[in-house]
């Protein structure tokens, strides 16, 4: 999986890859605070407004497998830089949009670019450090910290930009960042040759259609009903497309997702646990932000500042502690400990009071959640990637990214529905909101607990970070 010789520019390359990860995750969160301003300017309905987020996430999650395959066939550096070119151009389109259609088209193209960037970047990282276990844990630490920083920086920067500039700059900020990556990329990233193979466009259309149908059914199910023809039909369509995709993979000579890859040690369990991790973590971040603004009455900027300690804790843990802990105790103990900590923090958040305070009720629990995420994210990524053959690293990275993004989207959709159902009771204006948030936190805690049990049962005990077989 590693390059045949150690790349002397590998740490500079890692800095660029982390910047890419930061930008990709930033784009999923930065527009959240800007949504009311976008709605006012472009006339989005409440339901239509959610698709500013969903258009990006669905294109991102639905095309990640194709992005990983393209990285394997055409070379990871080429696909990485192509993705950034698309993302940068799409950001300009979205930032200058004067209509709903153009904005949603720009967001969709941003997701396409991100779907090329993420698996290619992770492939390059594994090729740079995969043969050096001592450095791999540290490299993953920086990689994970950049994702955490991008998520919370998006909330913070979205508040600053929306308040002091305009919502357009939540997209246009990618222009200088993207140009910097495109300029530096050829100088610091070694070209990784691709291998011969065909691109499965039909395969990609089937898996993307399945993801789109499933997410749309869950997002709209609360409004139109769960047992109505629209919802049931969409869920049936999602299942049918997924079945057709799997049949095609089993029978095709050049499948997008060769099913043999699931024989790689740790891959199946790692991807399942990664999906559960996303389904628990993203609702935590989403509803904690709402609690800070809607119940504690913090401003958008104040809410972003309140989430900074959590981000700093994640960065500190991932960079300084998670790698050494994995090296000492192994992947499984660190992963299970992290998921238990995340589950406990979510259960505590389910008890947040209406008259709570940031210092007394939010800060300690959010730091515990940050520790849990820090201990879980890197081990589960290693588990899902560690057993892949060199020719399949792009595919494996696309798969592990896909499961996280799809798990996040579906988990958030389910918890939003759960919060809406629980929030229908309550006597005061704030009570339904709080009841909904508490139900969502509790639901996410159940998901994190299931992930911890799956890790305990499906992953064998290891003593080395590179030894991640599945029983």
């Amino acid at each position: 999986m590693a390059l045949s010789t150690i790349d002397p520019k590998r740490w500079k390359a890692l800095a660029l890859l982390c910047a890419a990860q930061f930008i990709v995750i930033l784009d999923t969160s930065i527009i959240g605070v800007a949504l009311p301003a976008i709605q006012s300017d472009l006339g989005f309905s409440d339901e239509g407004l959610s698709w500013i987020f969903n258009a990006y996430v669905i294109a991102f999650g639905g095309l990640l497998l194709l992005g990983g395959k393209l990285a394997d066939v055409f070379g990871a550096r080429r696909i990485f830089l192509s993705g950034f070119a698309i993302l940068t151009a799409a950001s300009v389109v979205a930032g200058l949009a004067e209509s709903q259609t153009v904005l949603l088209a720009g967001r969709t193209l941003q997701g396409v670019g991100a779907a090329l960037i993420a698996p290619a970047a992770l492939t390059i990282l594994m090729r740079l450090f995969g043969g050096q276990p001592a450095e791999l844990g540290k490299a993953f630490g920086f990689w994970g910290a950049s994702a955490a920083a991008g998520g919370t920086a998006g909330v913070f920067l979205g508040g600053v930009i929306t308040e002091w500039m305009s919502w357009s700059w939540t997209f246009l900020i990618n222009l200088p960042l993207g140009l910097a990556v495109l300029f530096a990329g050829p100088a610091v990233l070694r070209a990784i040759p691709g291998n011969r193979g065909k691109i499965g466009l039909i395969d990609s259309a089937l898996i993307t259609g399945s993801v789109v149908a499933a997410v749309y059914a869950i997002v709209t199910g609360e409004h139109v009903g769960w047992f109505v023809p629209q919802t049931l039909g969409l869920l049936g369509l999602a299942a049918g497309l997924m079945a057709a995709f799997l049949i095609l993979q089993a029978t095709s000579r050049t499948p997008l997702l060769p099913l043999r890859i699931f024989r790689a040690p740790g891959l199946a369990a790692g991807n399942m646990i990664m999906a559960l991790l996303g389904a628990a973590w993203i609702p935590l971040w989403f509803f904690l932000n709402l609690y800070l603004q809607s119940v504690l009455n913090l401003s958008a900027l104040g809410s972003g500042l309140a989430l900074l300690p959590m981000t700093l804790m994640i960065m500190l843990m991932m960079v300084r502690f998670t790698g050494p802990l994995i090296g000492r105790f192994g992947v499984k103990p660190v992963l299970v400990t992290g998921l238990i900590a995340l589950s406990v923090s979510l259960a505590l958040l389910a008890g947040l009071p209406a008259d709570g305070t940031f210092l007394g009720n939010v800060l300690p629990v959010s730091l515990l959640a940050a520790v849990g995420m820090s201990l879980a994210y890197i081990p589960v990524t290693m588990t899902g990637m560690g057993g892949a053959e060199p020719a399949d690293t792009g595919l494996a990275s696309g798969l592990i990214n896909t499961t996280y993004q799809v798990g996040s989207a579906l988990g958030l959709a389910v918890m939003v529905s759960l919060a809406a159902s629980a929030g229908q009771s309550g006597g005061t204006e704030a009570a339904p909101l709080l009841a909904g948030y508490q139900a969502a936190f509790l639901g996410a805690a159940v998901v994190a607990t299931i992930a911890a049990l799956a890790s305990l049962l499906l992953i064998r005990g290891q003593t080395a970070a590179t030894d991640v077989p599945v029983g």
Side-chain angles (χ1 to χ4, degrees), residues 185-207:
V188 300
L189 297 177
R190 182 191 294 189
I192 299 176
N195 53 66
R196 294 182 179 180
K198 294 183 179 180
I199 306 302
L201 296 180
I202 296 177
D203 313 50
S204 181
L206 288 171
I207 188 65

Side-chain angles (χ1 to χ4, degrees), residues 163-184:
E163 188 168 331
W164 293 347
M165 300 171 71
S166 74
W167 63 263
S168 295
W169 283 98
T170 60
F171 301 108
L172 295 176
I173 191 175
N174 281 339
L175 179 59
L177 297 176
L179 290 176
V181 171
L182 289 170
F183 176 79

Side-chain angles (χ1 to χ4, degrees), residues 292-306:
L292 290 169
Q293 294 192 51
S294 301
V295 178
L296 299 190
N297 296 316
L298 297 182
S299 66
L301 182 58
S303 177
L305 288 171

Side-chain angles (χ1 to χ4, degrees), residues 416-429:
V416 167
S417 177
L418 185 63
S421 298
Q424 292 176 357
S425 61
T428 66
E429 184 176 343

Side-chain angles (χ1 to χ4, degrees), residues 192-344:
I192 299 176
N195 53 66
R196 294 182 179 180
K198 294 183 179 180
I199 306 302
L201 296 180
I202 296 177
D203 313 50
S204 181
L206 288 171
I207 188 65
T208 303
S210 178
V211 172
V212 171
V215 172
Y216 188 80
I218 295 174
V219 168
T220 59
E222 178 61 30
H223 300 287
V224 302
W226 292 106
F227 299 101
V228 299
Q230 175 180 315
T231 304
L232 294 176
L234 285 169
L235 291 174
L237 177 63
L241 290 173
M242 179 59 71
F245 172 77
L246 293 175
I247 292 171
L248 184 59
Q249 304 318 291
T251 57
S252 173
R253 292 184 177 180
T254 56
L256 177 64
L257 179 64
L259 299 184
R260 59 169 172 77
I261 197 174
F262 288 101
R263 294 197 295 267
L267 188 140
N271 277 275
M272 182 184 71
I273 296 163
M274 180 63 92
L276 293 170
L277 178 62
W281 175 253
I282 295 302
L284 182 152
W285 169 83
F286 182 84
F287 285 101
L288 185 57
N289 185 39
L290 289 179
Y291 175 81
L292 290 169
Q293 294 192 51
S294 301
V295 178
L296 299 190
N297 296 316
L298 297 182
S299 66
L301 182 58
S303 177
L305 288 171
L307 293 172
L308 281 180
M310 187 164 62
T311 299
L312 294 175
M313 176 62 78
I314 291 175
M315 295 175 67
L316 176 65
M317 287 291 299
M318 286 187 172
V319 171
R320 294 295 301 274
F321 298 106
T322 304
L325 287 172
I326 293 172
R328 181 173 181 181
F329 298 105
V331 168
K332 180 177 179 177
V334 176
L335 173 58
V336 173
T337 300
L339 289 170
I340 290 174
L342 181 59
S343 178
V344 170

